[in-house]
Amino acid sequence: MGLNSSVGINVNFDRQNALYYAGEKITGLISFQNNYKRLKLKSISLQFIGEFDYIQPDLYQEYDGLDHSYAEYRSINNRKSFITIRYPILYPKENENLVVLHQGQYSWPFEFTLPQLLPPSSSPTTVLHPCIRYYTRIIVDKSWYQQNITRVYPLIIFPHVNIFHCDIRRQSTCQCHINRQNFQMKVSLQQRAILPGQTVCLDVDLNNPKRLQIERIDTKLIQHRVINTDHHKEILLHIDLPGLLNFDQRQLQQTFHFDIPFDYLSPTFDCKIKGRHSSISISIYYELKFKAIVHGISDDIDFSMPIIIGTESSSELHDHYDDIPISYIDALKETELPPDYQSVMTNLLLE
């Protein structure tokens, strides 16, 4: 809790984990320890901040000193906040400039509600960008000659992405590919939408009339995270389908299972956030990528299948979400942010 020997501050949330969903309330208690006899402050405030971090190419004009110019692209790191909610904790009374705290321990409860529609936190976060991150920040604004005190608490924020109607229809997706040697591979994905921690079921049908040796079938689950033109591919799972090493039989029909190995995984999401001068597009999507590696010849089969990652599967959310929660554009156009926060979020417009 202590920031130094004289002043300490800490934010305790009423939830053990840092995961919240759009539209939920964030509540907790701020604890403050003052060891000064009298401490003068301008204010204490809590901020909720959401920001983008992404790389963007920018064209620069350079001169060589001989009146010759040339242009080159450089990568510019952009870190921009798109939402800030300020919650005042302690502030001076009317006609006063400072707050005076006597020695002792203080505590203040806090509560604020997240907007209904927010882009998801980036999870997992193995790279710095492209990234969407949220955090709360407690700020003790001291006198002009004293350094302010700031502490940051990361949060994970996800929108609700309901896959119930994908589940109830049980619509599978299927792809069939054949190479020049008439080796045929057919893969059926039993569920087109799934939740983190659940099991993916694949029906694999191999037709190998020439009994080619298939060294292995390489399988990857890949997350694509895109902010504007900054695109990152995260391999979440990489396995060889078991029992198929050096496969040379004429036929195979088998169902394979593997788990999505994450508790927190950004859901499939697509939206655009418009600011005063520009807009930022956000896209998070997933694919299962397969590669059947044929021994001795350059005639592999390589293809991918889309899969939707959701946050929940509930019939109670039917009235609020479309059947396939990939594009949120229409829903976002019709939704207004809570009026309590319009004054502090004038730069946030989802469309």
Side-chain angles (χ1 to χ4, degrees):
M1 172 175 168
L3 292 173
N4 55 51
S5 59
S6 299
V7 175
I9 192 166
N10 194 40
V11 178
N12 297 292
F13 296 90
D14 290 337
R15 186 173 296 184
Q16 290 185 349
N17 60 42
L19 174 64
Y20 292 86
Y21 289 93
E24 285 190 328
K25 285 185 178 180
I26 296 182
T27 61
L29 189 71
I30 296 171
S31 302
F32 186 83
Q33 176 68 43
N34 175 33
N35 294 325
Y36 291 107
K37 289 185 178 180
R38 293 177 79 251
L39 177 64
K40 294 182 179 181
L41 303 174
K42 289 184 178 180
S43 65
I44 298 178
S45 61
L46 185 69
Q47 292 180 337
F48 169 77
I49 298 172
E51 65 181 23
F52 305 113
D53 197 338
Y54 64 99
I55 296 294
Q56 178 177 317
D58 204 354
L59 185 62
Y60 276 78
Q61 196 81 16
E62 297 285 351
Y63 294 89
D64 60 5
L66 300 175
D67 294 331
H68 297 141
S69 65
Y70 62 94
E72 67 175 3
Y73 278 98
R74 296 179 184 176
S75 295
I76 305 300
N77 185 209
N78 286 283
R79 184 174 177 179
K80 300 178 180 179
S81 61
F82 61 91
I83 178 172
T84 300
I85 297 175
R86 184 178 179 274
Y87 185 89
I89 303 297
L90 186 67
Y91 46 90
K93 296 179 181 178
E94 190 175 357
N95 299 324
E96 294 184 4
N97 296 323
L98 296 173
V99 176
V100 178
L101 294 179
H102 295 281
Q103 187 176 27
Q105 191 168 13
Y106 299 83
S107 63
W108 303 280
F110 67 89
E111 174 183 308
F112 61 91
T113 302
L114 296 173
Q116 288 289 342
L117 291 165
L118 288 172
S121 297
S122 298
S123 180
T125 53
T126 58
V127 295
L128 293 177
H129 44 73
C131 181
I132 299 172
R133 62 176 66 92
Y134 295 92
Y135 54 91
T136 54
R137 181 168 62 190
I138 186 74
I139 299 176
V140 180
D141 191 359
K142 303 173 79 173
S143 301
W144 65 268
Y145 57 88
Q146 294 179 310
Q147 185 177 4
N148 291 343
I149 298 173
T150 303
R151 294 194 70 179
V152 173
Y153 300 84
L155 298 175
I156 300 173
I157 309 294
F158 287 159
H160 292 278
V161 177
N162 184 24
I163 64 169
F164 174 77
H165 303 291
C166 297
D167 287 343
I168 200 169
R169 293 174 185 173
R170 305 292 293 180
Q171 292 185 2
S172 63
T173 57
C174 176
Q175 287 195 30
C176 184
H177 298 266
I178 187 168
N179 69 2
R180 295 189 301 271
Q181 303 297 316
N182 291 323
F183 169 67
Q184 179 179 289
M185 178 178 176
K186 180 181 178 181
V187 176
S188 298
L189 181 61
Q190 292 185 9
Q191 308 114 304
R192 60 175 181 158
I194 199 166
L195 302 178
Q198 289 188 338
T199 300
V200 175
C201 299
L202 297 173
D203 295 325
V204 177
D205 188 348
L206 303 180
N207 187 12
N208 188 17
K210 295 184 179 181
R211 300 194 65 171
L212 301 175
Q213 183 178 344
I214 311 303
E215 294 183 1
R216 66 185 186 275
I217 297 181
D218 186 81
T219 304
K220 298 176 183 177
L221 173 63
I222 301 175
Q223 179 196 73
H224 293 262
R225 192 158 68 227
V226 186
I227 300 179
N228 278 1
T229 59
D230 195 358
H231 185 178
H232 172 67
K233 296 180 183 180
E234 182 83 20
I235 299 177
L236 305 176
L237 182 69
H238 188 184
I239 61 171
D240 294 330
L241 292 184
L244 296 183
L245 295 179
N246 299 317
F247 174 82
D248 61 358
Q249 303 301 308
R250 285 191 173 90
Q251 284 189 330
L252 175 96
Q253 289 182 332
Q254 188 172 337
T255 300
F256 297 89
H257 305 84
F258 58 87
D259 296 331
I260 303 293
F262 290 90
D263 293 327
Y264 301 147
L265 199 57
S266 302
T268 301
F269 194 86
D270 186 16
C271 77
K272 183 179 290 185
I273 292 183
K274 178 181 281 188
R276 291 178 178 175
H277 306 293
S278 62
S279 61
I280 297 177
S281 59
I282 303 164
S283 183
I284 299 172
Y285 60 97
Y286 295 82
E287 65 171 340
L288 283 168
K289 191 171 182 62
F290 304 95
K291 186 174 184 179
I293 301 174
V294 182
H295 178 73
I297 59 175
S298 180
D299 200 8
D300 301 336
I301 291 180
D302 191 350
F303 64 97
S304 63
M305 303 175 69
I307 185 170
I308 298 170
I309 302 294
T311 59
E312 57 207 289
S313 180
S314 172
S315 61
E316 296 178 1
L317 299 178
H318 174 64
D319 293 334
H320 301 286
Y321 298 96
D322 294 332
D323 293 343
I324 306 175
I326 294 179
S327 176
Y328 275 61
I329 293 176
D330 292 336
L332 294 169
K333 281 181 179 177
E334 298 172 359
T335 303
E336 295 182 356
L337 298 177
D340 292 346
Y341 300 119
Q342 284 183 355
S343 60
V344 294
M345 292 189 296
T346 54
N347 292 336
L348 177 65
L349 176 62
L350 299 180
E351 69 172 16

